[in-house]
Amino acid sequence: MKNLKVTILLVFFSFFGFSQDHFSGISTSSRVGILNGLINPAEYSNLSKKLEVNLYGTSFNVNNNKIGFSDLTSNSNLQDIIFKENSPVNISFDGQIVGPGVAIKLLKWSFALTTKANLKFDLINIDPSIGNAISDNNAASALILLNTNSNQRLISTAYGEVGFSVARPIIENKKHSFSAGITLKLLFPGSYSNFGLNGLNGKITQVGSDAYLTTDQPATLNFAYSGSFANSFSNFNDYTKTIFGGLNGVATDFGFTYKWKDGPNKYKIKAGLAIRNIGSMTYKDSNNQSTNYTLNIPISNHLNLNTFSNVNNLNEVENILNSRGYLTKIDGQKDFKVNLPTLLSFYGDFKIIPKIYITGYLQQKLNNDNENNQITALNIVSVTPRVNLGFFETYVPISNNSISGTAVGYGFRLGGFYLGSNSIISSLTSNSKQADIYTGFRWGFL
């Protein structure tokens, strides 16, 4: 599609400077606040101040398995790089905007009210041969055989959430504490689109400047769209115009923390375990649609892939395939449910010497990204050494994720203001395939 190219450029230029371990380093700081509570609600029982107010926080991430940082500053054609070789294309844009929030400690109980907006765009397991044929580069050779068992997806989503949290220590003495917490999140789905092509087996034949697709056996195809993504998903305004829709879903986070204390409000070791995003939301809109088809393209009626060169949205793709008799409807529905990316998080923060800490963090997704009704997530492992002087804190997150590999970043906190990146050092010193930035301001009282 023309807009496959447009969307790729959108991700790397309109959103450039943005990655997916949100608020890495600052969210596991020994200066505990709302950001810590977002990854584990039990952390609200460890608040550094009795009252914390979050004014704003933004974190945006881009990860991919093809384009390195140096490619963006070279004269190379990005499409050539993305669709070269035989490995599937995986690109992930993930944004979070943490809005106004408050957390408070009352005796042994802690409470929090938080707001957050989520923006996501993903290309998952895209066959580079198809990408080449649809783009204006056309196919690389006269005949390409396709044998894809995975579900190739283009997915976009925007939704908001409001969280209500409560936490308290279960066991607490001079040396140890063990706390539990839970967050109930009200979900406000805004916009959504999904294209899922599963089990594509066939051939792409190049004839002159045209590339033709035929299938050896029927594949399955899902089209789903809601809100502004029904009309387009390649403009930044599509993501921001309907972030918060109506209340149509709930989700839960719960977690536990353990501290080996080292005096009042200090510790030698702190460990946390949390499961987040257990839940789903239902998209409802006047232009909603989710339909499953079988896709069959015979040799006698082959599909010219260049037909999609000027397509702007999934509805147009669906209409083209339907009008030419390639689709057989399996089932469909007006309103549809989408599952949040359920995550298991585990971390440990160790005081090496006074004011110097090192944190290990693990994030494991518990859902299958191949499912058409599933919002995606990354598996992440990170290690973060930090220096915390109280009013000033600095840290260097070193992480590895399941798409772009290893990255090295830098961040700092000055009072309530923080700024950081999970990949700034590796982006400037090597051919990193990740880019991100986050910043925000919060303040603690009492």
Coordinates of all heavy atoms in Angstrom, one line a residue, residues 219-281:
A219 N -6.5 -18.7 2.9 CA -5.9 -18.1 4.1 C -7.1 -17.5 4.9 O -8.2 -17.4 4.4 CB -4.9 -17.0 3.8
T220 N -6.9 -17.1 6.1 CA -7.9 -16.4 6.9 C -7.6 -14.9 7.1 O -6.4 -14.6 7.2 CB -8.2 -17.0 8.3 OG1 -6.9 -17.0 9.0 CG2 -8.6 -18.5 8.1
L221 N -8.6 -14.1 7.1 CA -8.3 -12.6 7.1 C -9.3 -11.9 8.0 O -10.5 -12.2 8.0 CB -8.5 -12.1 5.7 CG -8.1 -10.7 5.3 CD1 -6.7 -10.4 5.7 CD2 -8.4 -10.4 3.9
N222 N -8.8 -11.1 8.9 CA -9.6 -10.3 9.8 C -9.5 -8.8 9.5 O -8.4 -8.3 9.4 CB -9.2 -10.5 11.2 CG -10.0 -9.6 12.2 OD1 -9.4 -8.6 12.6 ND2 -11.2 -9.9 12.5
F223 N -10.6 -8.1 9.3 CA -10.6 -6.7 9.3 C -11.4 -6.2 10.5 O -12.6 -6.6 10.7 CB -11.3 -6.2 8.0 CG -10.5 -6.4 6.7 CD1 -10.8 -7.5 5.9 CD2 -9.6 -5.5 6.4 CE1 -10.1 -7.7 4.7 CE2 -8.8 -5.7 5.2 CZ -9.1 -6.8 4.4
A224 N -10.8 -5.3 11.2 CA -11.6 -4.6 12.3 C -11.2 -3.2 12.4 O -10.0 -2.8 12.3 CB -11.2 -5.3 13.7
Y225 N -12.2 -2.3 12.6 CA -11.9 -0.9 12.7 C -12.9 -0.2 13.5 O -14.1 -0.6 13.5 CB -11.7 -0.2 11.4 CG -12.6 -0.7 10.3 CD1 -13.9 -0.3 10.1 CD2 -12.1 -1.7 9.4 CE1 -14.7 -0.8 9.1 CE2 -12.9 -2.2 8.4 CZ -14.2 -1.7 8.2 OH -15.0 -2.2 7.3
S226 N -12.5 0.9 14.2 CA -13.5 1.6 15.0 C -12.9 3.1 15.2 O -11.7 3.3 15.2 CB -13.6 1.0 16.4 OG -14.5 1.7 17.3
G227 N -13.8 4.0 15.3 CA -13.4 5.4 15.6 C -12.7 6.0 14.4 O -13.0 5.6 13.2
S228 N -11.7 6.9 14.6 CA -11.1 7.6 13.5 C -10.2 6.6 12.6 O -9.9 7.0 11.5 CB -10.2 8.7 14.0 OG -9.2 8.2 14.9
F229 N -9.8 5.5 13.2 CA -9.0 4.6 12.4 C -9.8 3.9 11.3 O -9.2 3.2 10.4 CB -8.3 3.5 13.3 CG -7.3 4.1 14.2 CD1 -6.9 3.4 15.3 CD2 -6.7 5.3 14.0 CE1 -6.0 3.9 16.2 CE2 -5.8 5.8 14.9 CZ -5.4 5.1 16.0
A230 N -11.1 4.0 11.3 CA -11.9 3.5 10.2 C -11.6 4.2 8.9 O -11.7 3.7 7.8 CB -13.4 3.5 10.5
N231 N -11.2 5.5 9.0 CA -11.0 6.3 7.8 C -9.5 6.4 7.4 O -9.2 6.5 6.3 CB -11.5 7.7 8.1 CG -13.0 7.8 8.5 OD1 -13.8 7.1 7.8 ND2 -13.3 8.5 9.5
S232 N -8.6 6.3 8.4 CA -7.2 6.4 8.1 C -6.4 6.0 9.4 O -7.0 6.2 10.5 CB -6.8 7.8 7.6 OG -5.4 7.9 7.5
F233 N -5.2 5.5 9.2 CA -4.4 5.2 10.4 C -2.9 5.7 10.2 O -2.0 5.3 10.8 CB -4.4 3.7 10.8 CG -4.0 2.8 9.6 CD1 -2.7 2.6 9.3 CD2 -5.0 2.2 8.9 CE1 -2.4 1.7 8.2 CE2 -4.7 1.3 7.9 CZ -3.4 1.1 7.5
S234 N -2.7 6.6 9.2 CA -1.4 7.1 8.9 C -1.1 8.5 9.2 O -0.1 9.1 8.8 CB -1.1 6.8 7.4 OG -2.0 7.5 6.6
N235 N -2.0 9.2 9.9 CA -1.8 10.6 10.4 C -1.8 10.6 11.9 O -2.6 9.9 12.6 CB -3.0 11.5 9.9 CG -3.0 11.6 8.4 OD1 -1.9 11.8 7.7 ND2 -4.2 11.5 7.8
F236 N -1.0 11.5 12.4 CA -0.8 11.6 13.9 C -2.2 12.0 14.5 O -2.5 11.6 15.6 CB 0.2 12.7 14.2 CG 0.4 12.8 15.7 CD1 1.1 11.9 16.4 CD2 -0.1 13.9 16.4 CE1 1.3 12.0 17.8 CE2 0.1 14.1 17.7 CZ 0.8 13.1 18.4
N237 N -3.0 12.9 13.8 CA -4.2 13.3 14.3 C -5.2 12.1 14.5 O -6.1 12.2 15.4 CB -4.9 14.3 13.3 CG -4.2 15.7 13.4 OD1 -3.5 16.0 14.3 ND2 -4.4 16.4 12.3
D238 N -5.0 11.0 13.8 CA -5.9 9.9 14.0 C -5.7 9.3 15.4 O -6.7 8.7 15.9 CB -5.6 8.8 12.9 CG -5.8 9.3 11.5 OD1 -6.6 10.2 11.3 OD2 -5.1 8.7 10.6
Y239 N -4.5 9.4 15.9 CA -4.2 8.9 17.2 C -4.7 9.8 18.4 O -4.9 9.3 19.5 CB -2.7 8.6 17.4 CG -2.3 7.4 16.5 CD1 -2.0 7.7 15.1 CD2 -2.1 6.2 17.0 CE1 -1.6 6.6 14.3 CE2 -1.6 5.1 16.2 CZ -1.4 5.4 14.8 OH -1.0 4.3 14.0
T240 N -4.7 11.0 18.1 CA -5.0 12.0 19.2 C -6.4 12.5 19.3 O -6.8 13.0 20.3 CB -4.0 13.2 19.1 OG1 -4.2 13.8 17.8 CG2 -2.6 12.8 19.2
K241 N -7.2 12.4 18.2 CA -8.5 13.0 18.2 C -9.5 12.2 19.0 O -10.5 12.7 19.5 CB -9.1 13.1 16.8 CG -9.3 11.8 16.0 CD -10.0 12.1 14.7 CE -9.1 12.9 13.7 NZ -9.7 12.9 12.3
T242 N -9.3 10.9 19.2 CA -10.3 10.1 20.0 C -9.5 9.1 20.9 O -9.7 7.9 20.8 CB -11.3 9.3 19.1 OG1 -10.5 8.5 18.2 CG2 -12.2 10.2 18.4
I243 N -8.6 9.6 21.8 CA -7.9 8.8 22.7 C -8.9 8.2 23.8 O -9.0 7.0 24.0 CB -6.8 9.5 23.4 CG1 -5.7 9.9 22.4 CG2 -6.2 8.7 24.5 CD1 -4.6 10.7 23.0
F244 N -9.7 9.1 24.3 CA -10.7 8.7 25.4 C -12.1 8.6 24.7 O -12.6 9.6 24.3 CB -10.7 9.8 26.5 CG -9.7 9.5 27.6 CD1 -8.4 9.9 27.4 CD2 -10.1 8.9 28.7 CE1 -7.5 9.7 28.4 CE2 -9.2 8.7 29.8 CZ -7.8 9.1 29.6
G245 N -12.6 7.4 24.6 CA -14.0 7.2 24.2 C -14.9 7.1 25.4 O -14.6 7.6 26.5
G246 N -16.0 6.3 25.2 CA -16.9 6.1 26.3 C -16.3 4.9 27.2 O -15.5 4.2 26.8
L247 N -16.9 4.9 28.4 CA -16.5 3.8 29.4 C -17.0 2.5 28.9 O -18.2 2.2 28.9 CB -17.0 4.2 30.7 CG -16.8 3.1 31.8 CD1 -15.4 2.8 32.0 CD2 -17.5 3.5 33.1
N248 N -16.1 1.6 28.5 CA -16.5 0.3 27.9 C -15.5 -0.8 28.2 O -15.1 -1.6 27.4 CB -16.7 0.4 26.4 CG -18.0 0.9 26.0 OD1 -19.1 0.4 26.4 ND2 -18.1 2.0 25.2
G249 N -15.0 -0.8 29.5 CA -14.1 -1.9 29.8 C -13.4 -1.7 31.2 O -13.4 -0.6 31.7
V250 N -13.0 -2.7 31.8 CA -12.3 -2.7 33.1 C -11.0 -3.6 33.0 O -11.0 -4.6 32.3 CB -13.2 -3.1 34.3 CG1 -14.3 -2.1 34.5 CG2 -13.7 -4.5 34.1
A251 N -10.1 -3.2 33.8 CA -8.9 -4.1 33.9 C -8.3 -4.0 35.4 O -8.7 -3.0 36.1 CB -7.8 -3.6 32.9
T252 N -7.5 -4.9 35.7 CA -6.9 -4.9 37.1 C -5.4 -5.1 37.1 O -4.9 -5.9 36.2 CB -7.6 -6.1 37.9 OG1 -9.0 -5.9 37.9 CG2 -7.1 -6.1 39.3
D253 N -4.7 -4.4 38.0 CA -3.3 -4.7 38.3 C -3.3 -5.1 39.7 O -4.0 -4.6 40.6 CB -2.4 -3.5 38.1 CG -2.5 -2.8 36.7 OD1 -3.0 -3.5 35.8 OD2 -2.0 -1.7 36.6
F254 N -2.4 -6.1 40.0 CA -2.1 -6.4 41.5 C -0.7 -6.7 41.6 O 0.0 -7.2 40.7 CB -3.0 -7.5 42.0 CG -2.8 -8.8 41.4 CD1 -1.9 -9.7 42.0 CD2 -3.5 -9.3 40.3 CE1 -1.6 -10.9 41.5 CE2 -3.3 -10.5 39.8 CZ -2.3 -11.4 40.4
G255 N -0.1 -6.5 42.8 CA 1.3 -6.7 43.0 C 1.7 -6.8 44.5 O 0.9 -6.5 45.4
F256 N 2.9 -7.2 44.7 CA 3.5 -7.3 46.0 C 4.9 -6.7 46.0 O 5.6 -6.8 45.0 CB 3.6 -8.8 46.4 CG 2.2 -9.5 46.3 CD1 1.9 -10.2 45.2 CD2 1.3 -9.5 47.4 CE1 0.7 -10.9 45.0 CE2 0.1 -10.2 47.3 CZ -0.2 -10.9 46.1
T257 N 5.3 -6.2 47.2 CA 6.7 -5.8 47.4 C 7.2 -6.3 48.7 O 6.5 -6.4 49.7 CB 6.8 -4.2 47.3 OG1 6.1 -3.7 48.4 CG2 6.3 -3.6 46.0
Y258 N 8.5 -6.5 48.7 CA 9.3 -6.9 49.9 C 10.4 -6.0 50.1 O 11.1 -5.6 49.1 CB 9.8 -8.3 49.8 CG 10.8 -8.6 50.9 CD1 10.5 -8.9 52.2 CD2 12.2 -8.6 50.5 CE1 11.4 -9.1 53.2 CE2 13.2 -8.8 51.5 CZ 12.8 -9.1 52.8 OH 13.7 -9.3 53.8
K259 N 10.7 -5.5 51.3 CA 11.8 -4.7 51.7 C 12.6 -5.2 52.8 O 12.0 -5.6 53.9 CB 11.4 -3.2 52.0 CG 10.9 -2.4 50.9 CD 10.8 -0.9 51.2 CE 9.8 -0.7 52.3 NZ 9.7 0.8 52.6
W260 N 13.9 -5.3 52.7 CA 14.8 -5.6 53.8 C 15.3 -4.2 54.2 O 16.1 -3.5 53.5 CB 16.0 -6.5 53.3 CG 17.0 -6.7 54.4 CD1 16.9 -6.5 55.7 CD2 18.2 -7.4 54.2 NE1 18.0 -6.9 56.4 CE2 18.9 -7.4 55.5 CE3 18.9 -7.9 53.1 CZ2 20.1 -8.0 55.7 CZ3 20.2 -8.4 53.3 CH2 20.8 -8.5 54.6
K261 N 14.8 -3.7 55.3 CA 15.0 -2.3 55.7 C 16.4 -2.0 56.1 O 17.2 -2.8 56.6 CB 14.0 -1.9 56.8 CG 12.6 -2.0 56.4 CD 11.7 -1.5 57.5 CE 10.2 -1.6 57.2 NZ 9.4 -1.1 58.3
D262 N 16.7 -0.7 56.0 CA 18.0 -0.2 56.4 C 17.8 1.2 57.1 O 18.3 2.2 56.7 CB 19.0 0.0 55.3 CG 20.4 0.4 55.7 OD1 20.7 0.1 56.8 OD2 21.1 1.0 54.9
G263 N 16.9 1.2 58.1 CA 16.5 2.4 58.8 C 15.2 2.9 58.3 O 14.6 2.3 57.3
P264 N 14.7 4.0 58.8 CA 13.4 4.5 58.4 C 13.4 5.0 56.9 O 14.3 5.7 56.5 CB 13.2 5.7 59.3 CG 14.1 5.5 60.5 CD 15.2 4.7 60.0
N265 N 12.4 4.5 56.1 CA 12.3 4.9 54.7 C 13.5 4.6 53.8 O 13.6 5.1 52.8 CB 12.0 6.4 54.6 CG 10.7 6.8 55.3 OD1 9.7 6.1 55.3 ND2 10.8 7.9 56.0
K266 N 14.3 3.6 54.3 CA 15.4 3.2 53.5 C 15.5 1.7 53.5 O 14.9 1.0 54.3 CB 16.8 3.8 54.0 CG 16.9 5.3 53.9 CD 18.2 5.8 54.4 CE 18.3 7.3 54.4 NZ 19.6 7.8 54.9
Y267 N 16.2 1.1 52.5 CA 16.3 -0.3 52.4 C 17.6 -0.8 51.8 O 18.3 0.0 51.1 CB 15.1 -0.9 51.6 CG 15.0 -0.3 50.2 CD1 15.8 -0.8 49.1 CD2 14.1 0.7 49.9 CE1 15.7 -0.3 47.9 CE2 14.0 1.2 48.6 CZ 14.8 0.7 47.6 OH 14.7 1.2 46.3
K268 N 18.0 -2.0 52.2 CA 19.1 -2.7 51.5 C 18.7 -3.3 50.2 O 19.4 -3.3 49.2 CB 19.8 -3.7 52.5 CG 20.3 -3.1 53.8 CD 20.8 -4.2 54.7 CE 21.4 -3.7 56.0 NZ 21.9 -4.7 56.9
I269 N 17.5 -4.0 50.3 CA 17.0 -4.7 49.1 C 15.5 -4.4 49.0 O 14.8 -4.5 50.1 CB 17.3 -6.2 49.2 CG1 18.8 -6.5 49.2 CG2 16.6 -6.9 48.0 CD1 19.1 -8.0 49.4
K270 N 15.0 -4.2 47.9 CA 13.6 -4.1 47.6 C 13.3 -5.0 46.4 O 13.9 -4.8 45.4 CB 13.1 -2.7 47.4 CG 11.5 -2.7 47.2 CD 11.0 -1.2 47.1 CE 11.4 -0.6 45.8 NZ 10.7 0.7 45.6
A271 N 12.2 -5.8 46.5 CA 11.8 -6.6 45.3 C 10.3 -6.5 45.1 O 9.6 -6.3 46.1 CB 12.2 -8.1 45.6
G272 N 9.9 -6.6 43.9 CA 8.5 -6.5 43.5 C 8.1 -7.4 42.5 O 8.9 -7.8 41.6
L273 N 6.8 -7.9 42.6 CA 6.2 -8.8 41.6 C 4.8 -8.2 41.3 O 4.0 -7.9 42.2 CB 6.1 -10.2 42.2 CG 5.4 -11.2 41.3 CD1 6.1 -11.5 40.0 CD2 5.1 -12.5 42.1
A274 N 4.5 -8.1 40.0 CA 3.2 -7.6 39.7 C 2.6 -8.2 38.4 O 3.4 -8.6 37.5 CB 3.2 -6.0 39.5
I275 N 1.3 -8.3 38.3 CA 0.7 -8.7 37.0 C -0.3 -7.5 36.7 O -1.1 -7.1 37.5 CB -0.1 -10.0 37.2 CG1 0.8 -11.1 37.5 CG2 -0.9 -10.3 35.9 CD1 0.2 -12.5 37.7
R276 N -0.1 -7.0 35.5 CA -0.9 -5.8 35.1 C -1.7 -6.1 33.8 O -1.5 -7.0 33.1 CB 0.1 -4.7 34.7 CG 0.9 -4.1 35.9 CD 1.9 -3.1 35.5 NE 3.1 -3.7 34.9 CZ 3.8 -3.1 33.9 NH1 3.5 -1.9 33.4 NH2 4.9 -3.7 33.5
N277 N -2.7 -5.3 33.7 CA -3.6 -5.3 32.5 C -4.4 -6.6 32.3 O -4.4 -7.2 31.2 CB -2.8 -5.0 31.2 CG -2.2 -3.6 31.2 OD1 -2.7 -2.7 31.8 ND2 -1.0 -3.5 30.5
I278 N -5.0 -7.1 33.4 CA -5.9 -8.2 33.3 C -7.2 -7.7 33.0 O -8.0 -7.2 33.9 CB -5.9 -9.0 34.6 CG1 -4.5 -9.4 35.1 CG2 -6.8 -10.2 34.5 CD1 -4.4 -10.0 36.5
G279 N -7.6 -7.7 31.7 CA -8.9 -7.2 31.3 C -9.0 -7.0 29.9 O -8.1 -7.3 29.1
S280 N -10.2 -6.4 29.5 CA -10.4 -6.1 28.1 C -11.4 -5.0 28.0 O -11.9 -4.5 29.0 CB -11.1 -7.4 27.4 OG -12.3 -7.7 28.0
M281 N -11.6 -4.5 26.7 CA -12.5 -3.4 26.5 C -13.3 -3.6 25.2 O -12.8 -4.4 24.3 CB -11.8 -2.0 26.4 CG -10.6 -2.0 25.4 SD -9.6 -0.5 25.6 CE -8.2 -1.0 24.6

